[in-house]
């Protein structure tokens, strides 16, 4: 009788323990992901210049100090210009490349896809060093300045925006139902009309997600731009690194918190109109 009584409880107890273990693993994973972000935000309000625990008090003065730093303001504007221009160039090119890879019957599609996605696998500092040497050689050939110019920085960051766009738009195209396109074509619509009225609206979630991730990846990039900036043309991450060489106070935490807030708002606004969970 005891065996009959205990046997049903055994599987139920094991299932509950399994669910608790999965829940604990999920909570631990989220804690590992969000702990650095929480620490940065909390540290930005510490009153003391040298960060110690527990804090001696809380203050807003590091945000005011960050606002007063002209290098941060110039770096923000430069990063914003680069990110907007690189996104405006890279997203259309990446979208066209993704359409060609998925829809066109071209030879070597796998090799071309690997080539377009390769910048995501190459360490950014390696890519930055290679671009720095290429720009030096190109300046000698063309007898013009390329490094530390807005055009040179935008061209370098396009190498980031194109792979993100190809990856996300390709994923969007893979789940696209072509029935509406075929119906429009059968009714006499021209190919460009089908693309403009049918295909492009259905691709909007993937294109918007690609634009968002391209902008963030370009705006926050440090390693790729580190060797390509110059006097008067410094991005915000590089300006933060330069500030760190001379001072170690929570000002950088305040700047990082502002960037986290900006990216969070962008993602929430984007997700309000385009569900990112369907693409990424």
């Amino acid at each position: 009788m005891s065996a009959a009584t205990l046997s049903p409880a055994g599987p139920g107890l094991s299932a509950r323990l399994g669910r608790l273990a999965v829940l604990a693993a999920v909570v631990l994973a989220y804690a590992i992901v969000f702990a650095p972000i929480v620490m940065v935000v909390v540290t930005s309000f510490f009153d003391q210049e040298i960060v110690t625990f527990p804090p001696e008090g809380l203050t807003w003065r590091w945000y005011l100090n960050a606002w007063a730093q002209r290098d941060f303001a110039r770096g923000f504007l430069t990063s914003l210009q680069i990110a907007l221009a690189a996104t405006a160039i890279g997203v259309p090119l990446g979208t066209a490349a993704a359409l060609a890879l998925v829809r066109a019957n071209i030879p070597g599609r796998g090799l071309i896809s690997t080539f377009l996605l390769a910048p995501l696998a190459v360490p950014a500092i390696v890519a930055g060093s290679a671009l720095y040497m290429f720009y030096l050689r190109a300046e000698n050939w063309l007898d013009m300045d390329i490094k530390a110019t807005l055009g040179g920085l935008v061209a370098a960051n396009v190498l980031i925006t194109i792979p993100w766009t190809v990856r996300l738009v390709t994923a969007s195209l893979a789940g696209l139902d072509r029935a509406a396109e075929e119906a429009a074509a059968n009714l006499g619509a021209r190919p460009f009309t089908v693309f403009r009225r049918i295909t492009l609206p259905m691709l909007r979630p993937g294109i918007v997600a690609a634009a968002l991730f391209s902008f963030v990846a370009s705006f926050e990039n440090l390693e790729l731009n580190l060797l390509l900036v110059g006097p008067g043309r410094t991005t915000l991450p590089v300006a933060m690194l330069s500030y760190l060489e001379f001072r170690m106070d929570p000002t950088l935490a305040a700047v990082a918190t502002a960037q986290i807030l900006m990216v969070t708002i962008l993602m929430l606004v984007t997700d309000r109109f385009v569900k990112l969970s369907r693409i990424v």
Side-chain angles (χ1 to χ4, degrees), residues 204-205 208-209 211-213 215-216 260-277:
R204 186 183 65 177
V208 172
L212 172 65
F213 280 88
F215 176 85
V216 173
I260 292 170
L261 180 62
M262 181 189 72
V263 172
T264 302
I265 293 174
L266 284 175
M267 295 192 70
L268 290 176
V269 171
T270 304
D271 190 67
R272 173 66 178 81
F273 299 98
V274 177
K275 295 301 180 181
L276 298 177
S277 58

Short mmCIF file of all heavy atoms in Angstrom, two decimals, residues 204-205 208-209 211-213 215-216 260-277:
data_model
loop_
_atom_site.label_atom_id
_atom_site.label_comp_id
_atom_site.label_asym_id
_atom_site.label_seq_id
_atom_site.Cartn_x
_atom_site.Cartn_y
_atom_site.Cartn_z
N ARG A 204 8.68 45.27 -43.81
CA ARG A 204 8.89 46.42 -42.92
C ARG A 204 9.40 46.03 -41.53
O ARG A 204 10.32 46.67 -41.02
CB ARG A 204 7.61 47.23 -42.80
CG ARG A 204 7.81 48.52 -42.01
CD ARG A 204 6.50 49.27 -41.85
NE ARG A 204 5.56 48.52 -41.04
CZ ARG A 204 4.35 48.96 -40.69
NH1 ARG A 204 3.94 50.15 -41.12
NH2 ARG A 204 3.54 48.23 -39.96
N PRO A 205 8.85 44.98 -40.87
CA PRO A 205 9.39 44.64 -39.55
C PRO A 205 10.88 44.31 -39.58
O PRO A 205 11.64 44.77 -38.72
CB PRO A 205 8.56 43.42 -39.13
CG PRO A 205 7.28 43.56 -39.89
CD PRO A 205 7.67 44.16 -41.20
N VAL A 208 12.91 47.61 -40.28
CA VAL A 208 12.94 48.51 -39.12
C VAL A 208 13.86 47.94 -38.04
O VAL A 208 14.65 48.66 -37.41
CB VAL A 208 11.52 48.72 -38.57
CG1 VAL A 208 11.56 49.48 -37.25
CG2 VAL A 208 10.68 49.48 -39.58
N ALA A 209 13.77 46.62 -37.81
CA ALA A 209 14.67 46.00 -36.83
C ALA A 209 16.12 46.12 -37.26
O ALA A 209 17.01 46.37 -36.43
CB ALA A 209 14.29 44.53 -36.65
N ALA A 211 17.39 48.50 -39.12
CA ALA A 211 17.79 49.89 -38.93
C ALA A 211 18.10 50.17 -37.46
O ALA A 211 19.08 50.86 -37.14
CB ALA A 211 16.69 50.82 -39.43
N LEU A 212 17.29 49.64 -36.56
CA LEU A 212 17.51 49.86 -35.13
C LEU A 212 18.83 49.25 -34.68
O LEU A 212 19.66 49.92 -34.05
CB LEU A 212 16.36 49.26 -34.32
CG LEU A 212 16.55 49.24 -32.80
CD1 LEU A 212 16.62 50.66 -32.26
CD2 LEU A 212 15.42 48.46 -32.12
N PHE A 213 19.06 47.98 -35.01
CA PHE A 213 20.28 47.32 -34.57
C PHE A 213 21.51 47.91 -35.26
O PHE A 213 22.58 47.99 -34.65
CB PHE A 213 20.18 45.81 -34.83
CG PHE A 213 19.38 45.08 -33.81
CD1 PHE A 213 18.01 44.94 -33.93
CD2 PHE A 213 19.99 44.53 -32.68
CE1 PHE A 213 17.26 44.27 -32.99
CE2 PHE A 213 19.25 43.87 -31.72
CZ PHE A 213 17.88 43.72 -31.87
N PHE A 215 21.85 51.06 -36.21
CA PHE A 215 22.11 52.34 -35.56
C PHE A 215 22.81 52.15 -34.22
O PHE A 215 23.81 52.82 -33.91
CB PHE A 215 20.80 53.10 -35.37
CG PHE A 215 20.95 54.40 -34.62
CD1 PHE A 215 21.32 55.56 -35.28
CD2 PHE A 215 20.74 54.45 -33.25
CE1 PHE A 215 21.47 56.75 -34.59
CE2 PHE A 215 20.90 55.63 -32.55
CZ PHE A 215 21.26 56.78 -33.22
N VAL A 216 22.30 51.24 -33.41
CA VAL A 216 22.89 51.02 -32.08
C VAL A 216 24.31 50.47 -32.20
O VAL A 216 25.22 50.92 -31.50
CB VAL A 216 22.00 50.06 -31.27
CG1 VAL A 216 22.68 49.68 -29.96
CG2 VAL A 216 20.65 50.69 -30.98
N ILE A 260 22.20 53.87 -22.16
CA ILE A 260 21.29 52.75 -21.91
C ILE A 260 19.84 53.21 -22.01
O ILE A 260 18.99 52.54 -22.60
CB ILE A 260 21.58 52.13 -20.53
CG1 ILE A 260 22.95 51.44 -20.53
CG2 ILE A 260 20.49 51.13 -20.15
CD1 ILE A 260 23.41 51.01 -19.16
N LEU A 261 19.56 54.38 -21.43
CA LEU A 261 18.20 54.92 -21.49
C LEU A 261 17.79 55.23 -22.92
O LEU A 261 16.66 54.93 -23.34
CB LEU A 261 18.12 56.18 -20.63
CG LEU A 261 16.76 56.88 -20.57
CD1 LEU A 261 15.71 55.96 -19.96
CD2 LEU A 261 16.85 58.17 -19.76
N MET A 262 18.71 55.80 -23.71
CA MET A 262 18.40 56.12 -25.10
C MET A 262 18.10 54.85 -25.90
O MET A 262 17.10 54.79 -26.64
CB MET A 262 19.58 56.86 -25.73
CG MET A 262 19.35 57.28 -27.18
SD MET A 262 20.83 57.93 -27.98
CE MET A 262 21.79 56.43 -28.18
N VAL A 263 18.93 53.83 -25.74
CA VAL A 263 18.72 52.58 -26.48
C VAL A 263 17.42 51.91 -26.04
O VAL A 263 16.67 51.36 -26.87
CB VAL A 263 19.93 51.65 -26.29
CG1 VAL A 263 19.65 50.28 -26.89
CG2 VAL A 263 21.17 52.24 -26.91
N THR A 264 17.13 51.94 -24.74
CA THR A 264 15.90 51.34 -24.23
C THR A 264 14.67 52.02 -24.82
O THR A 264 13.71 51.36 -25.24
CB THR A 264 15.86 51.41 -22.70
OG1 THR A 264 17.01 50.75 -22.15
CG2 THR A 264 14.60 50.77 -22.16
N ILE A 265 14.70 53.35 -24.87
CA ILE A 265 13.57 54.09 -25.45
C ILE A 265 13.41 53.75 -26.93
O ILE A 265 12.29 53.53 -27.42
CB ILE A 265 13.76 55.60 -25.24
CG1 ILE A 265 13.66 55.95 -23.76
CG2 ILE A 265 12.73 56.40 -26.04
CD1 ILE A 265 13.98 57.40 -23.45
N LEU A 266 14.53 53.69 -27.66
CA LEU A 266 14.45 53.34 -29.07
C LEU A 266 13.85 51.96 -29.28
O LEU A 266 13.00 51.76 -30.17
CB LEU A 266 15.86 53.39 -29.69
CG LEU A 266 16.45 54.77 -29.98
CD1 LEU A 266 17.88 54.63 -30.48
CD2 LEU A 266 15.61 55.51 -31.01
N MET A 267 14.25 51.00 -28.45
CA MET A 267 13.74 49.63 -28.60
C MET A 267 12.27 49.56 -28.22
O MET A 267 11.48 48.86 -28.88
CB MET A 267 14.57 48.67 -27.76
CG MET A 267 16.01 48.55 -28.20
SD MET A 267 16.88 47.18 -27.42
CE MET A 267 16.09 45.78 -28.20
N LEU A 268 11.85 50.27 -27.18
CA LEU A 268 10.45 50.25 -26.78
C LEU A 268 9.56 50.90 -27.83
O LEU A 268 8.48 50.38 -28.16
CB LEU A 268 10.28 50.95 -25.43
CG LEU A 268 10.86 50.23 -24.21
CD1 LEU A 268 10.70 51.09 -22.97
CD2 LEU A 268 10.18 48.88 -24.01
N VAL A 269 10.02 52.03 -28.38
CA VAL A 269 9.24 52.71 -29.42
C VAL A 269 9.15 51.83 -30.67
O VAL A 269 8.08 51.70 -31.29
CB VAL A 269 9.85 54.08 -29.74
CG1 VAL A 269 9.19 54.69 -30.97
CG2 VAL A 269 9.71 55.02 -28.55
N THR A 270 10.28 51.22 -31.03
CA THR A 270 10.28 50.35 -32.21
C THR A 270 9.38 49.14 -32.00
O THR A 270 8.61 48.75 -32.88
CB THR A 270 11.71 49.89 -32.52
OG1 THR A 270 12.54 51.04 -32.70
CG2 THR A 270 11.75 49.05 -33.79
N ASP A 271 9.46 48.54 -30.82
CA ASP A 271 8.65 47.36 -30.53
C ASP A 271 7.17 47.70 -30.47
O ASP A 271 6.32 46.83 -30.67
CB ASP A 271 9.11 46.72 -29.22
CG ASP A 271 8.48 45.36 -28.99
OD1 ASP A 271 8.80 44.43 -29.76
OD2 ASP A 271 7.66 45.22 -28.06
N ARG A 272 6.87 48.98 -30.19
CA ARG A 272 5.46 49.40 -30.15
C ARG A 272 4.81 49.29 -31.52
O ARG A 272 3.63 48.96 -31.64
CB ARG A 272 5.38 50.84 -29.63
CG ARG A 272 4.00 51.48 -29.68
CD ARG A 272 3.03 50.78 -28.75
NE ARG A 272 1.73 51.43 -28.77
CZ ARG A 272 0.79 51.24 -29.70
NH1 ARG A 272 1.03 50.40 -30.70
NH2 ARG A 272 -0.37 51.87 -29.62
N PHE A 273 5.57 49.55 -32.57
CA PHE A 273 5.04 49.51 -33.93
C PHE A 273 5.43 48.24 -34.69
O PHE A 273 4.71 47.79 -35.57
CB PHE A 273 5.51 50.74 -34.71
CG PHE A 273 5.06 52.04 -34.11
CD1 PHE A 273 5.90 52.78 -33.29
CD2 PHE A 273 3.79 52.52 -34.34
CE1 PHE A 273 5.49 53.98 -32.74
CE2 PHE A 273 3.36 53.71 -33.78
CZ PHE A 273 4.20 54.44 -32.97
N VAL A 274 6.61 47.71 -34.35
CA VAL A 274 7.08 46.48 -35.02
C VAL A 274 7.54 45.52 -33.93
O VAL A 274 8.43 45.82 -33.15
CB VAL A 274 8.28 46.78 -35.96
CG1 VAL A 274 8.80 45.50 -36.56
CG2 VAL A 274 7.86 47.75 -37.05
N LYS A 275 6.90 44.36 -33.83
CA LYS A 275 7.23 43.40 -32.80
C LYS A 275 8.60 42.79 -33.09
O LYS A 275 8.75 41.94 -33.99
CB LYS A 275 6.16 42.31 -32.73
CG LYS A 275 4.79 42.83 -32.28
CD LYS A 275 4.87 43.47 -30.92
CE LYS A 275 3.51 43.98 -30.46
NZ LYS A 275 3.57 44.64 -29.13
N LEU A 276 9.60 43.20 -32.32
CA LEU A 276 10.96 42.70 -32.55
C LEU A 276 11.09 41.23 -32.26
O LEU A 276 11.96 40.55 -32.83
CB LEU A 276 11.95 43.50 -31.68
CG LEU A 276 12.05 45.01 -31.96
CD1 LEU A 276 13.00 45.66 -30.98
CD2 LEU A 276 12.50 45.26 -33.39
N SER A 277 10.25 40.71 -31.37
CA SER A 277 10.35 39.29 -31.01
C SER A 277 10.03 38.38 -32.19
O SER A 277 10.41 37.20 -32.19
CB SER A 277 9.40 38.97 -29.86
OG SER A 277 8.05 39.28 -30.20
#
